Structures are given as structure tokens and as C-alpha cells.
Amino acid sequence: MVREPALDLDQLGVMESIFALSNGHLGLRGNLDEGEPHAIAGTYLSGFYELHPLPYPEGGYGYPESGQTLVNVTNGKVLRLLVDDEPLDVRYGTVLTHERVLDLRAGVLRRTVDWVSPAGRRVIVRSTRLVSFSQRAVAAINYEVEAVDARARIIVQSVLQANEAPPEVDSADPRVAEALVDPLVAVAQDEEQTGTVLVHRSRHSGLTMAAGMEHDVECPNQYELDKDTRPDWARTSIVTVLQPGQRLRVVKYLGYGWSKSRTVGALRDQVAGALMSARYAGWDTLVREQREFLDDFWGAADVEMDGHPAIQQAVRFGLFQVLQAGARAEGRAIGAKGLTGTGYNGHTFWDIEGFVLPVLTMTKPDAAAHALRWRASTLDLARNRAATLNLAGAAFPWRTINGEETSAYWPAGTAAFHINADIARAFEEYRLVTGDESLERECGLEVLVETARLWASLGHHDRHGQWHIDGVTGPDEYTAVVDDNIFTNLAAAANLRAAAAACARQPDLAARLSVTAEEVGAWEAAASAVHLPHDEELRVHPQCSGFTRFAEWDFERSIGKYPLMLHAPYFELYRKQVVKQADLVLAMDWFPDAFTDEQMARNLDYYERRTVRDSSLSASTQAVMCARAGHLDLAHDYLHEAALVDLRNFQGNTAQGLHIASLAGATTALINGFGGLREHAEVLELEPALPGSVTRLRFRVRWHGMALQTEVTHEDVRLTLLVTDGQRMPVRLYGEELTITGHAEVRRPVRVRTPLLPRPEQPAGRAPVRADGGDGE
């Protein structure tokens, strides 16, 4: 559970993000029930966006023309309470107690408020909110008001509100803010039994959405119910008189849906049907179904770590948020912030395929499959983008909501072609982990082939036969438009090999895509000849060609001036040895077979001293690689930073939404770092080792339809299959070939990881926040 024992209005925005509820289709920020005060009043539908022009001081060929911004749709969370005509507002009267609890096992947000009005009337409000995993279009709120020490007239106003005033947008472009002012045009309003359905259309993108509410009321006394409906809002009011100890209970059911092509009537009826279904099921059934869904998830996804309760809580919080981001996204993109806030305008990036989908694939594989299907559904747009760039195959966008490129800054957008290989890798990860080739046949092979064709047109062989990719940007956005970025080269090579192997597995489908033997041979030749720069004098790999000869960055002068992109021009960053986020280190994480143990140790030591972690994506990768290199305590500190990035607001921007990739990366840091897990040649490999402060680690992953539990202490490793109906799982533990069955656990002694080099240093002021509460220095 995540508990807020008292309300801090200065932290309102942060807590709205932390207490956000979502199922991947519908997201509700953790706003107070009464609607005010709030930092960002957010209600979001995955994929529902508005268009705005992109600003270019100087335009250029191939620049995207329109930006996309996630819209705050019709807000149904609001339940205003009046006690003898005094509105409950935590800024007025006296708040005796105020507590909120996010229950990660039940999937609900609970709130209790003990409040005395300015006129002296005391009430206790108890609310529970959920966004249903079982009924995709439905959310519900159970709202109870109790009179405490005097007779009180109680009025509850349940509201649907469209076109709320937008938050301040973290953007220098006024057009983004303008797109969020009254983005919804009223189309239709229908009153239901005890509620309303409002239908709106986005002003510029032409998308249609409907939102509706219905109510169940329980009251010990007579009450009256009244409805009022206008184009942009609807209100259902309940009034009664409560004696001390009596309670009014209102259950509010919410239904949401949107479409680009369906008629207004069809969408209205869809939402009305969702409301009828929710009300038929009733509150208790929705709560039970929510718990059952999460019991199934945690049964094969939980991670337990003894020794640091805060990290344990944070890792579970992260897993819960990853599930919320993708569980029912079904046919829509998963945003970098999920549906928790307005950060990045709701766009999806390579973060999702690179960090989030690997976790979903091992914990909720059907959700990962839906996310991959969405990417595949945008393949025609990616082909068009490649053609615009005079390239073959498909070029997926750097940032998008609907599949079209919306990045106005090409060095960190268009030039970051590695996203195409990241997407291909996610398809391969899904096949390797699940053992399911149906997704490959359905859409994955076509993605692999078209991305391979992109790389074939991007790369070239030099006169010595080596294969190069020039003029691209790797994961480190402080080193842009470079030649032979090692991460990009290795990712492209893996993409090419995966496409070739997939064509061999699916020759009939490959033939339909006009793949020839000569084309496959060219892919394999390029992958085999990929160039990896190496500095023989320093005995490290330059992140890109020439990186180790760049001037060094003066980190001492940068203390207190992070993130650097807010204090230094990109031109200066591009010319220096300063790394925003793990790049070469990420290459070693994802493609370890390309490096020896000694190379890994030396590279890690070199880049630790130059990586400033101005991106939340970095800490989890550094945790994994520090753990593999034997720097287990340092890895633990990086895990702490990745896991608590939002619960401690380490980046200072949690109010804009959660860092879903970092939260996913915390699980990866534990499982791949301390658990030493790798998928290799379609077999799970494990090499566990724990830092001194962690006494036990237990995690569960899904593999080929089976659930493997690994438990590690400082003495031994225990492997167990959780499902035992004749299943057998091959596993490689510390290099030993094993077969795990349901008959007995396999136990082996832990092997110590001995680092080849001393613990590496970090730039001045940029050591990770220590898990023991230290300041990182």
C-alpha cells in the first residue's frame, strides 16, 4: 500500500500522479473528490488527442507539420459535498484528519476525511475509487457521508464537466496551450435514469468521445434526486437530512469511450451500455473482479526483497503502475507517463518498447501483445515516413500518439533511428519469453522485415567491408547526429539477424512480403560486419566514433545546474564527453555477447564518470550493469533511485505524471541485475548475487506459459515451478543446464561476483541517492 497520512497542499500535484488510477484505456488522476483544489484536473482516454501546429523558426523538408496533445476529457470524478450549504473544501473549515491509501492488491484508492465546516458541522467522508480492469470502459466511486455530532442537511452534487480550464503547460510553445483551451465541441446530451451521457468531438483532430454517469443511492431517510444537463456539463444532485451517526451512500458509475469512425449514436449507446453493465454488476462485484484480476497478476509477477522496505514498496508500486499503463490499452499506444499526467503531451517513445514491454511480457503477456499490435497497426504511417526521408522500409516515429511523427527537433527525433530496432527487439522478446509465434505471423514478421529494410538503406559497407551507420543519434541525447553509435549499430545488427531468422521460420509469409534470399543474405552480411569502434589506448569502446577524443566536460562547474539541457546549449553538449543517460552501458546490457567481461568492466568504469542521469531512464540500466560487474552496493543505490523516482520526486517533475519506464526498470534492475536473468538462445539464464543489505530476493516470471519462482539468499538459490501439471522448464543456472519440474525445487549455492575493477566514481554531485538515506556523495 501507498499511504498519505495527511494532506500537504504543496505536494498536491505529486500526489495526484502517485494516486492516479488507470486500466490503460481510461485514466483518472488522483484529484480530490470535490474537484478543488487541484494541480492538474486530469481524466484521460488512451489515444484521444488534439492537434496543434508545430513551430519552426526555419522549416525544412520532411519536418512534421502537426503536434499531438493528450486531451483532458470530460471529468466524472467530481462529487461536491455541501453541509448545510457549506461546501467541503479542505482549504476552509477544519480538517481533523485526512488520509489516502492506494491499495496495490485491491486496485482501489481509499480516502477518509474528518472535517468541520466553518459553521461547526462535523462530517466524516469515506470514498473508494477504482478504474475497472475487468470492465474496460468503467470507473466507479463509492462515496459515503456521515453526520457526526449534529443534524446536518447534506447535498451531494455528482458532476460531469467537459472543457475544464487547462493546467499550465510545460512548454515554450503557446500553440500547445492553445490546443488545450476548450478542445471539445459539444455534440449530444442524453439523460439516463439517474445520470447523463455527454458526447463531444475534438475541435481539430475530429475524434468523438462520450462520457456518462449513473448512480445508486442508499440513505436511511427520505432524499430527493435532481438532474440538470447542459452542453459541457451535467449534474445529479442528492439532498437529504442526516442525524448523528447516519450515513448517505452514493455509488457513482462512470463510462467512457471514443472513436474516430463510429457514429454519435453508436458511441452514446456504447457508453450507456457500459453504465448499465456496471450498475447491473454493482459496486461489490466491481471490487471483487478488481481483486481477482490483481490476484492473478501478482501471483506470477510479485517481487519480494528483504532488507529495504521502502524499495520493496516502491518496486510493487512500479509494477502496479506498469500494469495500469498497459493492461487494457488494447489497440492504443502506451504513453511515457501512462495516463497519469500531461508530461510529454501524452506521447509514446522508445521507453515503452525498451523498458515497459519487457516487464509486461514476463508478467502480463497479453497486454504486451496488444501494445505490439498497436505498433504494427501504424506500419503504413512508418513506411510513409521512411519514404519521406528517402529510405526503404519503415521509420517509426520518435514521439507520437496516433503513429505519425510529432517531434519538431530532428537531432533527437528523426535521427534517433534506434527506435526501430527497439521495436523489433520487443517483438523478439515477446516470442522468446512466451514461446508464441502467432504474433510474429500476425504482424511481427512484417515489422521485422520493414525495419530490416530501413537499416539496409541506412547503413553501408566501407572499402574494407565493415558496415557503418552514419549521422544518427543513440539513446544519449547529449551526443547527437554521430557516426557508428555502438548501441545503434548493435541494435540494428540484432534487428537484421532477427528478421533473417523470422523469414526462415515463416517462409510463406516472407515470400508474400517479397523477401528474397539475396535480401536476407545482405542483412546477415551487414550484421556480421557491423563496426564497433574501440579506443586501443584507453581500452574502452567509444560511445560513437571519436567520442573519447571529445573535450571533457567540467562537472565541478555544473554542480547545482542539472539537468544540463536547461543550463547549457545543445551545441556545447554535443561536443563534449558528457552523457545524459546510459548509451554504451545500455548496449552492454541489451547485447552482452558483443563484449568480454573485461571490456564491460572498463567501459562501465569509463562511462560512470561521465553519465549525469538527466533522464530517468538511466538509473535502472546502471543498476543492472553495476550488479553484473560485481558493484552490488552501487547497483543497490541505482535501484533505489529508479524505484523511488516518483515516490520521492527525485526528478522534480512527478506532478506532470509518473516515469513509467523508470518504474518498470526497477523491476528489471532486481530481476536482471541481482537475479542475473537473461534470455539466451530461447533458454532462461540466471546468475544471482545480492548486495550485503539485501538478505533475500524472490521473484516470479512467466516463461513459455509457465511461472518460475526464483528465491535467492546469501547462501543459496532455489528454483520452483509454480504450476506443476507435468510442465518442464530448461534453465541455465551459473552455466549449469537444469530442468525444473513440479516435483521438487532445485537448490544451488550462490556464487560470489568479484568485480574486476574498483567501484567506479560518478561526476561531481551526480552519485545516486543512496538507499541507506545518504546524499550520494
Side-chain angles (χ1 to χ4, degrees):
M1 293 187 179
V2 178
R3 177 173 173 265
E4 181 193 44
L7 187 64
D8 182 351
L9 293 181
D10 291 334
Q11 295 297 310
L12 199 59
V14 171
M15 300 312 297
E16 287 172 356
S17 295
I18 289 172
F19 287 145
L21 294 177
S22 172
N23 59 14
H25 168 68
L26 167 65
L28 309 180
R29 274 179 67 83
N31 305 122
L32 302 179
D33 297 295
E34 298 77 34
E36 297 178 4
H38 65 257
I40 300 173
T43 302
Y44 311 110
L45 288 170
S46 179
F48 192 89
Y49 65 93
E50 184 57 301
L51 295 171
H52 60 87
L54 287 174
Y56 295 107
E58 295 183 18
Y61 175 80
Y63 283 20
E65 295 180 358
S66 295
Q68 300 164 8
T69 300
L70 187 71
V71 172
N72 174 29
V73 299
T74 307
N75 183 5
K77 301 186 296 294
V78 177
L79 285 152
R80 294 195 173 95
L81 172 63
L82 290 88
V83 181
D84 286 351
D85 298 328
E86 293 275 5
L88 194 165
D89 187 318
V90 294
R91 295 168 295 187
Y92 306 103
T94 303
V95 177
L96 300 177
T97 62
H98 190 288
E99 180 184 67
R100 287 188 288 180
V101 175
L102 177 62
D103 189 327
L104 307 179
R105 289 202 174 275
V108 299
L109 175 63
R110 300 189 184 95
R111 178 185 182 221
T112 302
V113 187
D114 191 342
W115 180 74
V116 180
S117 75
R121 290 289 185 266
R122 182 182 174 194
V123 294
I124 296 176
V125 176
R126 302 174 182 88
S127 71
T128 305
R129 180 186 300 176
L130 66 82
V131 175
S132 176
F133 287 117
S134 60
Q135 299 194 34
R136 181 175 184 250
V138 168
I141 304 168
N142 183 58
Y143 191 83
E144 295 183 1
V145 184
E146 178 184 350
V148 176
D149 51 13
R151 175 182 179 275
R153 184 173 69 256
I154 301 297
I155 302 173
V156 173
Q157 296 174 326
S158 178
V159 178
L160 279 178
Q161 175 69 60
N163 288 322
E164 295 174 295
E168 293 184 8
V169 178
D170 186 18
S171 171
D173 179 13
R175 305 177 203 195
V176 177
E178 186 177 317
L180 295 176
V181 176
D182 294 338
L184 302 175
V185 178
V187 175
Q189 307 87 41
D190 272 0
E191 289 195 351
E192 302 296 322
Q193 295 180 28
T194 62
T196 308
V197 174
L198 300 180
V199 184
H200 286 81
R201 182 172 291 119
S202 58
R203 195 173 297 276
H204 301 294
S205 60
L207 307 178
T208 305
M209 64 145 299
M213 62 179 180
E214 277 283 8
H215 305 84
D216 283 334
V217 181
E218 293 181 10
C219 185
N221 306 318
Q222 181 180 353
Y223 69 89
E224 289 190 11
L225 185 148
D226 181 65
K227 294 181 294 184
D228 193 4
T229 302
R230 308 290 173 86
D232 274 355
W233 65 268
R235 182 178 62 216
T236 295
S237 300
I238 300 106
V239 58
T240 191
V241 174
L242 295 181
Q243 301 297 331
Q246 290 186 325
R247 297 182 183 183
L248 167 67
R249 179 186 184 223
V250 179
V251 178
K252 182 176 187 177
Y253 303 100
L254 296 169
Y256 286 86
W258 76 268
S259 176
K260 185 176 183 179
S261 57
R262 300 189 73 201
T263 65
V264 170
L267 199 57
R268 176 201 61 211
D269 292 347
Q270 174 188 340
V271 168
L275 290 170
M276 178 178 288
S277 175
R279 198 174 180 197
Y280 173 78
W283 171 257
D284 291 341
T285 297
L286 289 176
V287 170
R288 186 185 72 249
E289 290 175 348
Q290 194 84 338
R291 181 60 185 251
E292 290 171 351
F293 186 98
L294 284 162
D295 283 346
D296 180 68
F297 172 74
W298 290 115
D302 195 17
V303 177
E304 301 173 51
M305 187 187 77
D306 295 344
H308 203 300
I311 295 180
Q312 169 69 91
Q313 178 197 43
V315 169
R316 283 182 172 146
F317 171 76
L319 273 168
F320 178 75
Q321 294 298 345
V322 168
L323 177 68
Q324 286 204 133
R328 302 298 305 273
E330 299 168 10
R332 309 295 179 197
I334 300 174
K337 299 291 186 182
L339 295 173
T340 66
T342 56
Y344 297 121
N345 291 340
H347 294 167
T348 188
F349 295 78
W350 72 287
D351 312 19
I352 302 305
E353 281 83 7
F355 294 84
V356 176
L357 293 196
V359 174
L360 278 178
T361 297
M362 282 198 166
T363 58
K364 190 67 176 170
D366 58 323
H370 279 300
L372 292 169
R373 288 189 184 97
W374 172 78
R375 271 295 186 190
S377 74
T378 68
L379 193 54
D380 284 341
L381 293 173
R383 287 191 184 101
N384 293 339
R385 180 65 176 159
T388 298
L389 299 173
N390 296 321
L391 296 169
F396 286 98
W398 177 245
R399 59 188 300 166
T400 190
I401 293 177
N402 74 347
E404 296 177 296
E405 180 62 81
T406 67
S407 174
Y409 186 62
W410 69 267
T414 297
F417 285 100
H418 68 84
I419 188 171
N420 299 283
D422 306 334
I423 291 167
R425 175 178 176 267
F427 275 95
E428 271 294 276
E429 286 270 312
Y430 178 85
R431 183 185 65 84
L432 289 171
V433 170
T434 65
D436 176 17
E437 292 187 6
S438 64
L439 186 66
E440 179 175 273
R441 291 189 61 83
E442 177 188 337
C443 59
L445 177 69
E446 192 170 8
V447 171
L448 291 172
V449 166
E450 295 293 13
T451 49
R453 285 170 171 164
L454 176 80
W455 292 117
S457 66
L458 265 173
H460 69 95
H461 291 273
D462 66 18
R463 64 181 180 275
H464 304 294
Q466 289 190 309
W467 192 67
H468 304 266
I469 304 174
D470 298 328
V472 299
T473 300
D476 172 27
E477 295 162 22
Y478 286 173
T479 312
V481 195
V482 298
D483 299 337
D484 287 322
N485 170 257
I486 285 183
F487 176 88
T488 301
N489 283 12
L490 286 173
N495 191 163
L496 292 165
R497 291 191 186 99
C503 287
R505 285 191 299 271
Q506 316 290 351
D508 55 331
L509 296 181
R512 293 181 202 171
L513 297 172
S514 302
V515 177
T516 65
E518 291 76 16
E519 187 175 25
V520 171
W523 296 344
E524 293 172 332
S528 298
V530 67
H531 177 60
L532 304 181
H534 189 262
D535 188 319
E536 299 298 334
E537 180 183 357
L538 295 176
R539 298 166 68 185
V540 299
H541 286 88
Q543 176 172 289
C544 59
S545 181
F547 182 83
T548 51
R549 69 165 178 77
F550 289 179
E552 296 283 359
W553 186 267
D554 188 344
F555 293 106
E556 292 289 343
R557 291 183 60 186
S558 296
I559 294 176
K561 297 180 180 179
Y562 291 97
L564 290 178
M565 69 272 201
L566 300 182
H567 299 90
Y570 272 108
F571 173 72
E572 185 179 5
L573 295 169
Y574 289 168
R575 300 165 58 244
K576 302 290 180 65
Q577 289 192 55
V578 57
V579 180
K580 179 180 181 182
Q581 64 203 68
D583 189 307
L584 191 281
V585 172
L586 183 62
M588 296 191 300
D589 180 10
W590 286 16
F591 313 108
D593 292 342
F595 305 89
T596 66
D597 289 344
E598 181 182 355
Q599 287 173 339
M600 285 190 180
R602 292 189 177 279
N603 287 337
L604 181 66
D605 183 77
Y606 190 86
Y607 288 97
E608 275 289 294
R609 301 167 191 271
R610 291 160 175 81
T611 303
V612 296
R613 297 191 322 287
D614 282 349
S615 164
S616 63
L617 297 181
S618 200
S620 63
T621 297
Q622 289 173 271
V624 171
M625 291 311 301
C626 287
R628 287 182 185 170
H631 304 299
L632 295 167
D633 291 335
L634 178 57
H636 191 219
D637 291 343
Y638 278 127
L639 164 65
H640 173 262
E641 187 172 299
L644 283 106
V645 63
D646 291 313
L647 291 177
R648 297 289 184 271
N649 195 18
F650 285 148
Q651 296 275 324
N653 57 5
T654 295
Q656 299 296 319
L658 302 179
H659 299 78
I660 302 298
S662 182
L663 298 179
T667 294
T668 304
L670 276 174
I671 294 176
N672 293 19
F674 299 144
L677 183 143
R678 286 176 55 197
E679 308 95 41
H680 189 269
E682 303 191 20
V683 174
L684 276 183
E685 291 187 349
L686 293 159
E687 294 188 2
L690 300 180
S693 57
V694 177
T695 57
R696 183 182 69 98
L697 172 66
R698 183 164 70 179
F699 59 89
R700 303 161 188 168
V701 295
R702 296 182 189 269
W703 179 263
H704 288 225
M706 297 172 278
L708 176 70
Q709 177 172 286
T710 301
E711 185 166 359
V712 188
T713 66
H714 288 286
E715 289 74 40
D716 58 27
V717 183
R718 305 180 184 187
L719 304 180
T720 311
L721 274 185
L722 299 181
V723 180
T724 60
D725 53 348
Q727 295 175 318
R728 299 167 61 87
M729 180 186 293
V731 174
R732 190 174 296 128
L733 178 62
Y734 297 122
E736 178 187 359
E737 304 289 345
L738 300 170
T739 300
I740 314 299
T741 67
H743 301 295
E745 72 176 14
V746 172
R747 182 183 300 189
R748 294 291 186 273
V750 164
R751 296 187 186 179
V752 176
R753 293 185 197 171
T754 303
L756 297 179
L757 295 174
R759 173 173 167 147
E761 298 178 359
Q762 290 76 44
R766 300 306 286 170
V769 181
R770 293 210 310 260
D772 62 7
D775 60 5
E777 293 298 307

